[in-house]
Amino acid sequence: MGIASVVVDVPAKQTDREFDYSIPGKWEHIVQPGMRVIVPFGPRMVQGFITALKNDSNVKKIREVKEILDLEPVLNEELLKLGSWLTEETMCFRITALQAMLPAALKAKYEKVLRISTGREEHLEATVQALFKNKDMISWKDVLESDHAALLQKHVRKGNLEVMYFVKDKLKKKTVRVIQPLLNKEGLEDYAGILPPNARKQYEVLHHFINHPDKIQLRELLEDVRVSNAVVKALIDKGILAEKEEEIYRDPYENRVFKQTEPFILTQEQADALRPVKKSIHDNSHAVFLLYGVTGSGKTEIYLQAIDDVIKKGEEAIMLVPEISLTPQTVKRFKERFGNLVAVMHSGLSIGEKYDEWRKIHRKEVKVVVGARSAIFAPFENLGIIIIDEEHESSYKQEETPRYHAREVAIERAKHHNCPVILGSATPALESFARAKKNVYKLLTLSKRMNESKLPRVDIVDMREELRNGNRSMFSKTLFSKLTDRLEKGEQTVLLLNKRGHSSFVMCRSCGLVTNCPNCDISLTYHRYNDSLKCHYCGHEERMPQACPECGSDHIRFFGTGTQKVEEELAKILPEARVIRMDVDTTSKKGSHERLLNAFQEGHADILLGTQMIAKGLDFPNITLVGVLSADTMLHLPDFRSSEKTFQLLTQVSGRAGRHELPGEVVIQTYTPEHYSIELSGLQDFDVFYEREMYIRRQSHYPPYYYLALINVSHEDLMKAVAVTEKITKYLTASLSPEAIILGPVASPISRINNRYRYQCLIKYKREPELKKQLRTVLEHYQQETAQNLLQISIDMNPQIMM
DNA sequence: AGCACGCCGACT
DNA sequence: GTCGGCGTGCTC
């Protein structure tokens, strides 16, 4: 008898294992590991994944698989294995790992409903019958909201009402109605001849098919021939035409024509960098390359040509790009080279669109996927290369469970496929560069920009000096004069306002009160569209106050990312300048990001003003000036990577200037010009920065010299949170090797979320083979309390941010 | 995660 | 005696 091992969709410690189910005979030859099923689990139905098939089971009372949800496995053997690896590495539940690899559309939706048992209607009093008025089922959610929950529950016990469980897919495949002729050209002509003379419209429809015998979408047909549905219907009824439902993809890029491009001739440097990659592709050998190339050195062309080789070899490619630079511009470059062999995956797509892109990959209709972090799980079976552009970007680390880093997943998959990985960056993560130096990764260097263009000249302006000289504006003299100069020449400027986060908070200018969330220790975020304040952590929402709740002053206003204020000041000092502002406020609508960039590219503005989101990917020939208004705002964050992040951002944004014929200039304004990350980004010298930063990391026992694991404990009771963290810290100190450094307990940077106090313990280690086992023991020990949700313990292996 | 089961105190 | 509170343990 066929038995399936199933991982069920119940993310909890106690159910984090396989359960056995028997397979009904009719499905015996269909089922395969990696398929989704619906299975009975206790009293309800849940979704699950078949992880293995076997012939027998030790389980006595085995139940049957209720339904098979897929005709083809959604997870192949490799991905199932990768799921186990993810579970192990990130210490998450198996089901969480499996779901993370699939588009959200494939996740189940559960519904619990009540219905009247057959023939028991008389047993119900009028109030209950009234609830069922006009419907045979009511949802459990409504029951809980009604005042009759107890009463209804009693009827369930008596058997008058029945509880039913439904498992549904989040989403259906999208279909369109398609019309096609059932006769050939001659047949249609003959039939047109015998149509009654008053059937003019039917005649026109037939005429369409005589000229275009192919099938056509009903909607298009109606538009083209300008007839109503009734006309087509008549012809279908007569058996001349046929209608059918056809599955279609929601193609976010439909109606867009991409001009094909040919590979460019590579520079000597580029060719030298590409050669070892090509060798690895053709030898089917695994290797990780760190492509370290200055901004504008033509990394993308190397990616494109490597992918081209992979496709020619009949294999597939994954191209990861950070979410914020996954702009239509980027996508265009890949679509222009590889046409419709490209699928695109990013968070801007709807659940349905993502699902459709995923299906193109699953059905082997595309060869390349360009996407953000989660595209690393694209279900390709013959991977020939994985490329991660801007590999230092922190968005490659998922900040929810499973807390994986796409770079590590990429390497794991590439090992399985015996194929190369390219990590590309002008400012590699310190960890990556260190590995390249140790020859764990192979270093490929591009030190020159293409088109012979020079790296821009960088001016670092000390804003303290400006203040001393009586300049209180946010623009230094230098920046102002260069701005005016560009304006006169008709060249373009990018202005970066380097502010932390992307949100705007509210502060009273009289008493300095910042409106905080009542449940969390974090400021509320202003939302313009409904003039309200929201907490991004717990969802708390309140109206924007008219006066300060503390001192009553009406000088209360929001401090946005500040771009608005800069815009106002620009309007004062350079009234003739046309400014495009890009920040959360102006880019929240779908497609607005692209629209603004297009407008800038087409020269409808002189200045592009924005936050971090403008630092990447812009490649416009007319940009000759980049200004950073305040370079040091994120330097003083309590994060050991803040210097690295500052250096990376400044270098990236500087790289926007002078990429083509016109030379570029950069002005960096700062209050700490002596800080090495600012000074060295001015010199664009990553190598020196690397040495400096490595020295500091070694001194303070941080990566790449040490690995990190962060344990976060939260509890409603502050003392309890501290006590548990304390106990964990003690336990780990005792059970890990003396080389491990265990710090804590300390309050989290966000010390309270949703009225739960948060404490943490940080482990720095070099080699601790027992670490995961010990952490599992810790989780095990607090199992009971975490199950009751009194206590929460989360573990982040290799955290990117210390929250 | 749900849900049933079971044991306890408070009530018709 | 019975209802409903919540701690405990199970789900193939």
Side-chain angles (χ1 to χ4, degrees), chain A residues 332-398:
Chain A
K332 202 171 130 222
R333 288 196 72 175
F334 287 86
K335 291 240 174 190
E336 280 175 347
R337 193 67 63 87
F338 305 116
N340 54 10
L341 290 177
V342 181
V344 180
M345 288 267 203
H346 63 89
S347 68
L349 304 179
S350 70
I351 289 181
E353 285 168 339
K354 274 186 217 156
Y355 176 46
D356 286 349
E357 294 297 299
W358 181 87
R359 268 158 63 220
K360 287 186 198 165
I361 304 165
H362 192 228
R363 288 160 55 157
K364 305 192 172 24
E365 293 169 4
V366 294
K367 290 283 187 184
V368 183
V369 59
V370 179
R373 182 180 58 231
S374 65
I376 196 59
F377 298 114
F380 284 132
E381 293 188 335
N382 301 297
L383 266 177
I385 196 165
I386 301 175
I387 299 168
I388 304 186
D389 191 29
E390 310 278 6
E391 67 90 32
H392 61 278
E393 272 295 306
S394 53
S395 65
Y396 286 125
K397 172 75 189 278
Q398 174 146 60

Side-chain angles (χ1 to χ4, degrees), chain A residues 114-116 121 124-139 142 148 152 161:
Chain A
L114 272 189
R115 93 173 170 191
I116 303 172
E121 209 157 341
L124 302 170
E125 46 276 72
T127 43
V128 178
Q129 287 193 21
L131 289 171
F132 283 91
K133 203 171 178 185
N134 301 328
K135 30 189 167 177
D136 52 347
M137 291 182 193
I138 54 178
S139 84
D142 295 344
H148 312 289
L152 291 168
L161 294 178

Side-chain angles (χ1 to χ4, degrees), chain A residues 331-490:
Chain A
V331 172
K332 202 171 130 222
R333 288 196 72 175
F334 287 86
K335 291 240 174 190
E336 280 175 347
R337 193 67 63 87
F338 305 116
N340 54 10
L341 290 177
V342 181
V344 180
M345 288 267 203
H346 63 89
S347 68
L349 304 179
S350 70
I351 289 181
E353 285 168 339
K354 274 186 217 156
Y355 176 46
D356 286 349
E357 294 297 299
W358 181 87
R359 268 158 63 220
K360 287 186 198 165
I361 304 165
H362 192 228
R363 288 160 55 157
K364 305 192 172 24
E365 293 169 4
V366 294
K367 290 283 187 184
V368 183
V369 59
V370 179
R373 182 180 58 231
S374 65
I376 196 59
F377 298 114
F380 284 132
E381 293 188 335
N382 301 297
L383 266 177
I385 196 165
I386 301 175
I387 299 168
I388 304 186
D389 191 29
E390 310 278 6
E391 67 90 32
H392 61 278
E393 272 295 306
S394 53
S395 65
Y396 286 125
K397 172 75 189 278
Q398 174 146 60
E399 291 300 340
E400 308 94 58
T401 45
R403 299 172 191 273
Y404 65 91
H405 198 298
R407 191 198 292 135
E408 308 310 319
V409 180
I411 294 170
E412 184 66 17
R413 289 199 75 180
K415 276 183 195 159
H416 178 271
H417 287 277
N418 285 316
C419 75
V421 174
I422 304 180
L423 308 174
S425 178
T427 51
L430 241 63
E431 284 96 322
S432 300
F433 205 70
R435 284 187 185 157
K437 291 236 156 162
K438 280 167 74 183
N439 234 1
V440 181
Y441 300 163
K442 302 207 166 57
L443 186 63
L444 309 171
T445 308
L446 300 176
S447 56
K448 296 193 202 76
R449 286 189 142 186
M450 291 189 309
N451 332 313
E452 306 286 302
S453 63
K454 290 221 177 57
L455 280 172
R457 210 183 81 102
V458 181
D459 268 312
I460 294 175
V461 178
D462 185 347
M463 291 304 275
R464 295 169 304 188
E465 193 72 23
E466 293 285 320
L467 204 62
R468 259 178 251 135
N469 294 336
N471 178 6
R472 297 189 59 193
S473 104
M474 52 179 90
F475 296 94
S476 61
K477 267 198 182 137
T478 318
L479 182 55
F480 179 73
S481 75
K482 288 189 196 298
L483 264 173
T484 334
D485 172 64
R486 297 310 127 107
L487 222 51
E488 277 162 14
K489 288 194 205 146

Side-chain angles (χ1 to χ4, degrees), chain A residues 105-116:
Chain A
L106 294 179
K107 229 182 122 173
K109 233 172 52 183
Y110 297 98
E111 214 178 338
K112 183 181 175 184
V113 296
L114 272 189
R115 93 173 170 191
I116 303 172

